[in-house]
Amino acid sequence: MKKLLILIGIIFSISAHAQCFEIESILVDGCDGGNEGKNEMVRFKVGSTPLSVSTLTVNWPSNPWLGVCQSVSTATSVTLINSTILGCGLLKEPIGGILPANSKVLLVTSTDFNPLAQSFTNLTDTLIVIFQCAGNTTGHFANYSLTGTFLRTLTMTFTVPVGCTDAVTYNKTLLLKQDLTIGAQDGGAVEFDAVGNATYVNRGCSGPFIPLSVYAGLNKTLCFNATQLLTASASGPFNTVNWSLGSTATGSFAPSNSLTTTYTPGIGDNGTIKLYCTLTKVCGTGTITTKDSLDITILKLPLPVISSSTNTLCLGQIASLSYSLSNAGSTGTTSVLWSPGSATTSIISSTVATIYTIQVTNSCGFNTANYTVSAIPNPTVSISSSSSPTFCAGGSVTLTATSNVGNYLWTGGATTSTIVASTTQTAIVTSTNACGSIQATIYINVVPVPTVTLSPSSIGICAGSSAIALALTNTPVTYSWSTGASTSTVSLNTAGIYSVNVNNSCGTALGTVTITVGSLPTINIITTSSVLCVAQSASLSLSGSTGTIVWSNGATTSTTSVSSPGVYTATLTTSCGTATNSITILSQITPTLSVSPISATLCAGQTLTLTATSNVSNYFWNIGASTATISVSTPGIKTVTVSNECGSVTASVTVFLNSLPIISLSSNTNSICPNETATLTVTGSQAPYTWSNTSNTGSIVTTNGGTVSVSSTNMCGTTTQTISVSVYTINSSFTANPMVGVKPLIVDFNNTSIGASSYLWDFGNSFSATTQTVSAQTYTAAGNYVIYLYTTNGTCSAVDSVKITVLEEEPYLVIPNVFTPNGDGVNEFFKIKGFNINEFNCVIFNRWGVRLFEWNEIKMGWDGKIDDKDAVDGIYFFIINAKDINAKEIKKQGTFSLIR
């Protein structure tokens, strides 16, 4: 009964806390270095009744309670943090100091905290954030330490409703570093359950909230025919759970939408597969997800395959059996048992057939495989013959092989035990089985009937020399020559027919050789021409003895053709010697001729030198000269000719007669006004012409006047003509001051014209004047006015104009201090209004100086978005650079508010 009462008390305490508030987490070791004491945080949850921060008191383990403060500064910090959140979370300050029922609250230890010291990037909840007033600069808790008081207690109380208090205690010696080992490091924090049990964590420089995460569990090993219970764990709020298969997995989940599920492998599961657990949280109109995976290793029964260096054993052999698994990648750890033998024996030696078995086992069961080994003898073979293995051609012998394995292979390809041999050979028979091969050999000698051939059968020799005759036979024989010699060769030196008789045990043969005697060779060379012109050729031919011919130009026939001069030699070779003869072929050049210059012009009274160039030296000119160079003083065609045995050639040059160019220069006028032109024209001779103004055409236009010259040049000299054009001096010009101003605008005019004798002013305001100097004019209406001054000197006239601008009022800018881009169609843009502004630029910054938006047209503005996302409420800065209609610079800067 006592235990039951205690349980009821605990349940009542938990229920009471849940109805008021409950401390859930403390960020003990805050970030931001020496400012840690301003960046510590406490997270708690409000119960079913709203609470007022005005009734809150906190009993820190260290430091006094300074109350709750809310200001523009805290709003700015909250806005900054919200701009960093990538999840669907949000920080909000309480309205009127009221913490709503069931809200999650974050208490920061100072309004003077660093909003970027702790990260809220992955926040997925909405937290109400409150700040202790500034003043405490040291830590409110105690970081990891092995000295002092270990246990630290935080107590928080709301005076309304009565009894609304919660307290939690942690041990500072159990705080964790970021690698989750015990020690001191930024991010050390404590989580508390409903009854105050402490869990020590360290999420680095992150706010004290639980981010959305999932842990799928440890990797598993599973037999192919079993199932596996999987249990994932989640942190942070989520809406749905989903288990899914990796790319190689084929099994199923039951159920697939719960943190705990049972996985049944599919028929295609093999090796290591991946399974995924995914959490989903709804964020407004979107969702965020987090995923984790685990590996399942599927074990299959081992499938052994036995292999051996041989499946038969010969006498004295030892074989080695080995095995492999056809599915080794999916069996895991295995054990082996051989039979006969042991778990490790795979060496066999036997003379009888034996069956070997292997059993391979893993944690899912076992499989076996068998292998049969046979025992066979080593082969033997021998050869016997029916008669002597030596006999005359036309005979034969029977050979018989005997083997214990009954297979035969003779060198001729026969596979029978008996063969008949009728040729000389080494007969070999081979018998083979799995244990190897063995051979037997016998030599067969067939003695042929002799034949004889004399080499050569006919021999020519020169007088006084001798030749060797050789008798060639097909077998060893004895020799008997008609000269009485008994060797295979004889020496012969006289003409005649000689014979040799050869014989052996199987027969005889007869052969003859004919000897002839010859004399020394002679040779003569005949040519069709002994002199060659260019492109000509001569034919050389031989007379005398016949034999092998070689010319010095490489020809080997009795006749050859040559096309270049030189000494040509012919050599004739016979069996009795060599004869040589030579002939010389001369050359003659084909005449060439050229004359320079190829074309010439004579001016009156001049002489001209013409030069002929040739590879021969006999010149004949049509004017009677016979030298290479001549002088001429008259026009006409001059011709020269040269010749030799190979032909003649002629060249000519035409000489022309020329004189100085004749030109005439004229102008359409001799005087021009400013900006008018005069056209000057040259006639005679031919273009190009050379003008003093660099042109080279037949006519030019001048606006500057003065003396202008033109020249024409040919080989006989240059002719120049000049002409003068006068320019009247007149210029119309004046200034106006001021040129821009607000109405009524009084403007003075200063006449700076030159060369004028009369004047006409048009002031653009319906007034005019004809005097050189004029009085000031008053412009009472806003607008643009163009003033003209017309001048003349009786012959020429000129005009000048000036534009003045009269303004209704001075230029200005109107800058708003707030805009509300909330979609209601009112005050949606931050826009600048201006009057008489010619140039404009505006840049928007946030409070940290980050450039957000810029525009250069005054009619544009900012819609309150950054990269198509709404900017947060708050204070923003602007800088304006502009110029008014007078080009006067206008610079403005300041702040404005964005409120949605």
Side-chain angles (χ1 to χ4, degrees):
M1 178 62 70
K2 182 176 180 181
K3 292 182 179 179
L4 178 60
L5 291 176
I6 292 173
L7 178 60
I8 293 174
I10 292 173
I11 294 173
F12 178 80
S13 174
I14 295 173
S15 176
H17 284 189
Q19 292 176 0
C20 185
F21 79 99
E22 180 181 300
I23 300 173
E24 294 181 325
S25 177
I26 301 174
L27 176 59
V28 176
D29 197 342
C31 295
D32 204 25
N35 293 318
E36 175 192 344
K38 304 174 184 178
N39 291 276
E40 298 161 327
M41 300 179 186
V42 177
R43 190 184 80 243
F44 63 92
K45 184 175 182 180
V46 178
S48 59
T49 302
L51 300 176
S52 174
V53 298
S54 63
T55 67
L56 173 63
T57 59
V58 179
N59 184 9
W60 302 110
S62 300
N63 278 328
W65 169 245
L66 301 179
V68 174
C69 287
Q70 186 172 343
S71 64
V72 173
S73 174
T74 59
T76 300
S77 296
V78 171
T79 298
L80 174 58
I81 294 176
N82 284 335
S83 69
T84 68
I85 297 174
L86 300 178
C88 57
L90 181 69
L91 295 183
K92 297 169 55 177
E93 291 190 280
I95 299 175
I98 300 302
L99 304 179
N102 301 314
S103 61
K104 298 177 182 179
V105 184
L106 184 65
L107 169 60
V108 182
T109 53
S110 178
T111 58
D112 191 21
F113 85 122
N114 181 353
L116 299 179
Q118 270 73 228
S119 172
F120 287 82
T121 301
N122 297 317
L123 180 66
T124 57
D125 271 341
T126 296
L127 300 181
I128 306 298
V129 59
I130 59 177
F131 299 88
Q132 180 182 228
C133 298
N136 294 339
T137 58
T138 59
H140 296 71
F141 304 101
N143 295 342
Y144 170 84
S145 175
L146 297 178
T147 61
T149 303
F150 293 167
L151 300 180
R152 311 293 287 180
T153 299
L154 168 69
T155 302
M156 298 176 58
T157 301
F158 288 88
T159 57
V160 179
V162 176
C164 186
T165 298
D166 194 15
V168 292
T169 300
Y170 72 92
N171 187 335
K172 69 177 184 178
T173 66
L174 300 179
L175 290 171
L176 300 181
K177 296 189 294 185
Q178 293 174 13
D179 62 0
L180 302 185
T181 60
I182 292 176
Q185 191 174 11
D186 288 350
V190 189
E191 304 284 346
F192 298 97
D193 62 14
V195 295
N197 295 318
T199 299
Y200 297 88
V201 297
N202 190 316
R203 298 188 179 95
C205 290
S206 175
F209 60 88
I210 301 176
L212 179 63
S213 65
V214 63
Y215 174 57
L218 296 173
N219 295 335
K220 310 290 184 182
T221 298
L222 179 63
C223 288
F224 67 97
N225 56 356
T227 61
Q228 179 66 52
L229 179 65
L230 305 176
T231 302
S233 58
S235 64
F238 62 92
N239 298 106
T240 62
V241 180
N242 181 59
W243 287 90
S244 59
L245 301 174
S247 60
T248 59
T250 62
S252 59
F253 300 96
S256 63
N257 59 352
S258 172
L259 288 175
T260 300
T261 186
T262 297
Y263 179 70
T264 301
I267 191 171
D269 286 358
N270 190 34
T272 299
I273 61 173
K274 275 195 180 299
L275 306 179
Y276 296 92
C277 183
T278 303
L279 300 184
T280 302
K281 175 176 173 59
V282 178
C283 295
T285 59
T287 59
I288 61 172
T289 61
T290 184
K291 178 190 288 187
D292 190 30
S293 66
L294 68 124
D295 292 340
I296 300 291
T297 301
I298 305 297
L299 292 184
K300 300 292 182 73
L301 284 179
L303 299 176
V305 177
I306 299 177
S307 59
S308 172
S309 57
T310 180
N311 62 352
T312 58
L313 279 181
C314 300
L315 185 63
Q317 282 186 330
I318 295 177
S320 174
L321 295 184
S322 62
Y323 83 96
S324 61
L325 297 180
S326 61
N327 60 343
S330 58
T331 60
T333 303
T334 60
S335 61
V336 177
L337 178 63
W338 287 92
S339 177
S342 64
T344 59
T345 298
S346 59
I347 304 299
I348 59 173
S349 176
S350 177
T351 58
V352 297
T354 304
I355 298 175
Y356 290 86
T357 301
I358 187 172
Q359 176 179 296
V360 182
T361 305
N362 69 358
S363 58
C364 296
F366 68 88
N367 268 322
T368 61
N370 297 324
Y371 194 85
T372 301
V373 178
S374 302
I376 60 176
N378 292 332
T380 62
V381 68
S382 62
I383 300 176
S384 61
S385 62
S386 60
S387 60
S388 172
T390 298
F391 50 89
C392 289
S396 65
V397 65
T398 300
L399 303 178
T400 302
T402 304
S403 172
N404 66 336
V405 296
N407 64 70
Y408 308 92
L409 178 61
W410 293 88
T411 49
T415 57
T416 58
S417 61
T418 300
I419 65 171
V420 175
S422 59
T423 62
T424 297
Q425 60 179 293
T426 299
I428 302 174
V429 66
T430 302
S431 290
T432 303
N433 69 0
C435 292
S437 297
I438 192 168
Q439 293 180 337
T441 303
I442 188 171
Y443 179 71
I444 305 300
N445 182 24
V446 178
V447 180
V449 175
T451 62
V452 63
T453 302
L454 272 297
S455 179
S457 61
S458 178
I459 304 175
I461 62 175
C462 297
S465 63
S466 62
I468 300 297
L470 170 64
L472 300 176
T473 64
N474 62 339
T475 185
V477 294
T478 60
Y479 301 90
S480 177
W481 288 88
S482 57
T483 62
S486 60
T487 58
S488 61
T489 62
V490 294
S491 178
L492 304 172
N493 57 14
T494 58
I497 298 175
Y498 299 88
S499 65
V500 61
N501 188 63
V502 298
N503 65 83
N504 67 4
S505 60
C506 293
T508 62
L510 179 67
T512 62
V513 60
T514 300
I515 303 298
T516 59
V517 180
S519 59
L520 293 174
T522 60
I523 187 171
N524 292 310
I525 300 177
I526 302 170
T527 179
T528 57
S529 176
S530 61
V531 176
L532 293 179
C533 295
V534 174
Q536 285 185 336
S537 62
S539 178
L540 307 181
S541 59
L542 296 181
S543 64
S545 302
T546 60
T548 301
I549 301 169
V550 177
W551 291 87
S552 56
N553 64 355
T556 58
T557 58
S558 61
T559 301
T560 183
S561 179
V562 297
S563 58
S564 59
V567 176
Y568 293 89
T569 302
T571 300
L572 175 69
T573 302
T574 68
S575 59
C576 291
T578 299
T580 301
N581 206 343
S582 297
I583 191 170
T584 301
I585 303 298
L586 303 176
S587 67
Q588 180 63 277
I589 60 175
T590 299
T592 61
L593 178 64
S594 64
V595 179
S596 63
I598 59 175
S599 179
T601 300
L602 279 174
C603 294
Q606 289 183 334
T607 60
L608 176 67
T609 299
L610 302 180
T611 301
T613 302
S614 176
N615 57 350
V616 297
S617 59
N618 55 344
Y619 299 94
F620 176 75
W621 291 88
N622 62 349
I623 61 174
S626 60
T627 59
T629 300
I630 64 172
S631 294
V632 296
S633 59
T634 59
I637 299 175
K638 313 301 178 182
T639 302
V640 62
T641 302
V642 295
S643 63
N644 67 4
E645 299 96 316
C646 291
S648 64
V649 63
T650 299
S652 63
V653 60
T654 300
V655 178
F656 299 94
L657 185 64
N658 206 347
S659 61
L660 284 172
I662 300 173
I663 59 174
S664 175
L665 176 62
S666 63
S667 174
N668 66 335
T669 181
N670 291 327
S671 60
I672 57 176
C673 294
N675 300 320
E676 288 184 343
T677 61
T679 300
L680 309 183
T681 304
V682 62
T683 58
S685 187
Q686 59 183 6
Y689 301 99
T690 302
W691 292 85
S692 55
N693 65 351
T694 71
S695 176
N696 61 1
T697 60
S699 65
I700 65 168
V701 175
T702 177
T703 57
N704 299 324
T707 299
V708 180
S709 63
V710 65
S711 299
S712 178
T713 301
N714 65 13
M715 63 173 292
C716 293
T718 299
T719 300
T720 302
Q721 296 288 331
T722 61
I723 196 169
S724 295
V725 178
S726 301
V727 179
Y728 292 102
T729 301
I730 187 171
N731 179 47
S732 182
S733 65
F734 70 97
T735 60
N737 185 40
M739 298 181 69
V740 179
V742 179
K743 70 176 186 180
L745 181 65
I746 299 174
V747 181
D748 292 319
F749 299 97
N750 180 29
N751 188 347
T752 58
S753 301
I754 59 174
S757 58
S758 62
Y759 307 89
L760 174 60
W761 296 84
D762 179 356
F763 297 109
N765 59 355
S766 74
F767 291 98
S768 62
T770 59
T771 58
Q772 181 178 3
T773 59
V774 294
S775 58
Q777 297 290 313
T778 301
Y779 296 86
T780 59
N784 293 319
Y785 297 85
V786 180
I787 295 85
Y788 294 93
L789 172 59
Y790 301 92
T791 61
T792 180
N793 61 4
T795 300
C796 301
S797 60
V799 65
D800 190 20
S801 65
V802 172
K803 177 183 176 182
I804 64 172
T805 301
V806 180
L807 306 177
E808 189 73 35
E809 56 184 317
E810 291 287 347
Y812 62 84
L813 292 174
V814 178
I815 305 171
N817 61 0
V818 67
F819 80 116
T820 57
N822 53 15
D824 63 359
V826 179
N827 197 22
E828 294 289 330
F829 287 84
F830 177 73
K831 297 181 70 174
I832 313 299
K833 296 181 180 179
F835 178 75
N836 283 336
I837 301 299
N838 278 356
E839 297 182 19
F840 177 83
N841 174 265
C842 182
V843 183
I844 304 299
F845 301 87
N846 64 15
R847 61 185 295 108
W848 297 276
V850 178
R851 181 189 294 257
L852 304 179
F853 192 74
E854 179 179 5
W855 68 98
N856 294 314
E857 295 289 341
I858 194 168
K859 63 183 179 181
M860 297 174 61
W862 184 39
D863 61 358
K865 293 183 180 294
I866 304 171
D867 295 331
D868 294 328
K869 296 182 180 179
D870 289 341
V872 299
D873 292 10
I875 304 298
Y876 293 85
F877 294 86
F878 67 84
I879 295 178
I880 296 174
N881 289 289
K883 288 184 179 180
D884 65 14
I885 197 169
N886 295 320
K888 179 181 178 181
E889 290 189 352
I890 302 174
K891 295 183 179 292
K892 300 287 186 179
Q893 62 182 25
T895 63
F896 63 95
S897 297
L898 186 156
I899 302 174
R900 296 192 186 278

